């Protein structure tokens, strides 16, 4: 599995449908189906339409009709929507213990914020989570599908700004991914002569999100892209059947709760160039609580992240999402303050170095600052300082810094430099 990054070189408009309020909207992320279509178009522009039975056609089919899985690409700093999460409808107050609840992880969640001063309703959001990209909005003259201006009608066109980078996973044979990287640029979304040019980067990536295990052994399945499921009779379904779950998990399992909504899923059969019939899909952010009769192996859970769920997976459907990071309420903010105080206390002995061992300080501080910035040579130097400290308390403090996460180490070094 590799990480795919598309960086816009022009503004882009990723539209799935026209709205009736005279806004030509853009999606804020790139669904896997859009990514796959962009690469297929770029491949055809580079190589031409391949002849039947040719090696090029064989590669085209492998790339776009089965062997490569294109995941959703999200703007940096965002997370997929989560339909199991409910958030404050109005701005939360300082005193609200919790700001958001994840119904997939907590069984008893209130309908309104329990803080009596606040009492905000809690509601589901369908949007991307985190810092959403800032869209550009411009008024234009209305254009029909045919390209003819409708006199006097203004509408607003939304676009994603250039330089915005989208990242996600792409899975497939390394040689195939090499063919995609070699294209270097693709065009995403509409108005392709002036919009949507994006630079392609493919690099080694970490394992894609998998299922989440609850403390009681139940599993949580979250989708980052639309998902297409059918029941035993082949009719659209909001959830995977017990049969599909057993095939994926290796043990009998069923959905016990779900948070979903319907949306339409179109698409193209790329090899033939024909549109596919529109199907019903569940929206990105759909979430399922799954009960299994026996424990599911860790390996199986990891493999499911790479495989995805439901139908038409190679077109970008049925990709899994990581657990949502909930906005911290008062309780979590206070717990974080306590934790940070503990980190500061664990390195308090270093404050005495300046007075007691002034000749040791410059090298020690260079090592600390470099380590905090991720410099591996500085980390090695810090290990040497920790192995030969001026006293035991300073040694313990240096070891504590070495054992911290990079973010925590950067925090304590910053705090030491402020004193
Ligand atoms: Zn509140």
């Amino acid at each position: 599995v590799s990480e795919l990054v598309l960086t816009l070189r022009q503004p882009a408009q990723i539209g799935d449908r026209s709205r009736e309020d005279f806004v030509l909207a853009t999606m804020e992320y790139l669904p896997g189906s859009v990514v796959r279509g962009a690469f297929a178009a770029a491949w055809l522009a580079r190589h031409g339409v391949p002849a039947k039975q040719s090696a090029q056609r064989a590669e085209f089919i492998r790339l776009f009709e089965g062997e490569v899985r294109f995941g959703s690409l999200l703007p940096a700093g965002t997370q997929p929507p989560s339909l199991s999460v409910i958030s404050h409808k109005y701005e939360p107050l300082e005193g609200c213990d919790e700001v958001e609840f994840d119904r997939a992880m907590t069984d008893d969640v209130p309908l309104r914020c329990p803080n009596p001063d606040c009492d905000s309703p809690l509601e589901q959001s369908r949007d991307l989570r985190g810092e959403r990209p800032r869209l550009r909005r411009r008024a234009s003259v209305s254009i029909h599908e045919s390209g003819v201006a409708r006199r006097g009608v203004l509408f607003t066109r939304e676009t994603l700004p250039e330089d915005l980078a989208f990242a996600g996973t792409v899975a497939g044979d390394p040689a195939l991914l090499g063919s995609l990287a070699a294209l270097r640029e693709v065009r995403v979304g509409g108005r392709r002569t002036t919009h949507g040019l994006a630079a392609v980067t493919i690099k080694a990536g970490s394992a894609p999100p998998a299922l989440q295990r609850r403390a009681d052994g139940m599993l949580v399945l979250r989708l980052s892209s639309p998902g297409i499921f059918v029941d035993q009779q082949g009719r659209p379904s909001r959830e995977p059947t017990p049969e599909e779950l057993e095939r994926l998990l290796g043990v009998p399992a069923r959905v016990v709760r779900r948070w979903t909504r319907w949306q339409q899923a179109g698409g193209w059969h790329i090899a033939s160039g024909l549109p596919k019939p529109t199907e019903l899909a569940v929206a990105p952010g759909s979430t399922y609580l799954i009960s299994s009769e026996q424990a599911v192996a860790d390996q199986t859970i990891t493999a499911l992240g790479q495989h995805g769920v439901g139908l038409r997976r190679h077109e970008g459907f049925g990709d899994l999402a990581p657990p949502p990071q909930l906005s911290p309420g008062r309780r979590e903010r206070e717990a974080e303050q306590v934790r940070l105080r503990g980190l500061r206390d664990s390195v308090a002995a270093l404050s005495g170095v300046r007075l007691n061992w002034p000749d040791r300080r410059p090298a020690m501080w260079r090592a600390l600052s470099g380590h905090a910035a991720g410099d591996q040579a500085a980390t090695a130097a810090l290990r040497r300082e920790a192995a030969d400290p001026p006293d035991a308390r300073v040694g313990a403090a240096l070891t504590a810094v070495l054992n911290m996460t990079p973010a925590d180490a950067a925090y304590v070094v910053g705090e030491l430099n402020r004193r």
Side-chain angles (χ1 to χ4, degrees):
V1 175
S2 299
E3 187 187 27
L4 169 60
V5 180
L6 291 185
T7 308
L8 292 181
R9 297 290 180 231
Q10 293 174 337
Q13 191 218 336
I14 315 296
D16 51 346
R17 69 206 104 115
S18 47
R19 279 169 26 185
E20 284 168 8
D21 54 359
F22 299 103
V23 175
L24 206 52
T26 181
M27 296 167 111
E28 296 177 347
Y29 77 109
L30 307 180
S33 52
V34 167
V35 179
R36 167 176 170 262
F39 274 99
W43 194 96
L44 289 170
R46 168 79 60 91
H47 302 284
V49 176
K52 276 185 186 166
Q53 319 265 317
S54 65
Q56 283 215 320
R57 182 168 168 85
E59 180 184 88
F60 186 81
I61 299 285
R62 290 182 69 202
L63 282 170
F64 302 113
E65 291 296 350
E67 288 191 38
V68 176
R69 258 174 55 70
F70 296 90
S72 305
L73 307 186
L74 269 58
T78 66
Q79 304 176 291
S82 176
L83 298 179
S84 64
V85 171
I86 50 171
S87 313
H88 275 60
K89 179 172 184 180
Y90 306 113
E91 195 64 25
L93 305 177
E94 282 289 313
C96 300
D97 280 344
E98 323 279 352
V99 170
E100 297 185 307
F101 297 86
D102 182 5
R103 293 173 289 179
M105 297 302 284
T106 313
D107 287 332
D108 293 315
V109 301
L111 295 171
R112 309 181 77 90
C113 177
N115 176 6
D117 295 336
C118 170
D119 193 41
S120 167
L122 298 168
E123 61 175 21
Q124 184 187 58
S125 159
R126 301 166 172 192
D127 295 323
L128 278 187
R129 299 171 54 74
E131 226 167 278
R132 292 161 57 196
R134 201 167 291 171
L135 303 179
R136 297 228 176 95
R137 292 191 172 80
R138 271 184 55 188
S140 329
V141 176
S142 179
I143 310 276
H144 270 306
E145 293 276 284
S146 60
V148 182
R150 222 159 78 190
R151 193 183 314 205
V153 179
L154 283 176
F155 73 110
T156 303
R157 188 191 292 282
E158 285 183 353
T159 52
L160 296 158
E162 65 180 279
D163 295 330
L164 189 61
F166 296 85
T169 58
V170 59
D173 183 277
L176 291 176
L177 299 188
S179 301
L180 296 177
L183 294 170
R184 299 179 58 171
E185 286 181 337
V186 298
R187 283 188 180 275
V188 291
R191 306 171 80 204
R192 292 198 181 181
T193 48
T194 55
H195 280 65
L197 188 68
V200 175
T201 312
I202 297 181
K203 53 192 176 191
S206 44
L211 293 175
Q212 192 181 0
R213 221 191 269 278
R214 293 205 331 183
D216 62 5
M218 292 228 249
L219 300 171
V220 182
L221 168 65
R222 306 171 190 273
L223 296 185
S224 69
S225 64
I228 300 177
F229 302 112
V230 291
D231 67 14
Q232 294 267 306
Q233 282 74 42
R235 293 173 303 208
S237 170
R238 287 176 179 271
E239 63 186 44
T241 59
E243 289 74 18
E244 177 174 8
L245 287 177
E246 181 165 1
R247 199 165 59 243
L248 293 170
L249 301 176
V251 299
R254 65 192 173 88
V255 171
V256 290
R257 286 193 73 188
R258 66 173 187 220
W259 298 267
T260 64
R261 63 185 184 87
W262 289 116
Q263 72 170 44
Q264 302 283 333
W268 291 82
H269 186 260
I270 284 180
S272 64
L274 295 173
K276 293 198 166 179
T278 303
E279 292 191 77
L280 276 177
V282 292
S286 291
T287 301
Y288 304 92
L289 185 59
I290 294 169
S291 159
S292 64
E293 284 183 18
Q294 295 123 45
V296 177
D298 285 343
Q299 256 173 310
T300 308
I301 285 180
T302 310
L304 186 59
Q306 301 205 11
H307 181 271
V309 293
L311 303 178
R312 293 171 59 181
R313 293 189 306 277
H314 70 274
E315 293 174 60
F317 293 100
D319 240 21
L320 272 58
Q325 289 167 20
L326 301 182
S327 308
R330 181 178 71 173
R331 190 167 297 163
E332 197 181 326
R333 288 197 308 272
E334 286 178 356
E336 179 66 3
Q337 290 309 318
V338 170
R339 194 185 74 85
L340 293 178
R341 193 180 314 138
L343 290 180
R344 294 196 302 270
D345 289 348
S346 72
V347 301
L350 295 177
S351 306
V353 173
R354 186 201 304 269
L355 271 179
N356 299 328
W357 302 280
D359 54 321
R360 295 284 304 260
R361 188 176 184 275
M364 198 181 286
W365 248 246
R366 263 198 310 280
L368 281 165
S369 303
H371 170 72
D375 173 359
Q376 293 188 356
T379 301
L382 190 58
R383 286 216 180 84
R384 288 192 296 274
E385 295 279 347
D388 176 30
D391 78 357
R393 289 178 59 233
V394 170
L398 294 174
T399 305
V401 176
L402 284 164
N403 289 335
M404 288 175 193
T405 64
D408 286 349
Y411 167 74
V412 294
V413 170
E415 287 296 303
L416 284 168
N417 285 330
R418 279 188 350 156
R419 285 179 203 167

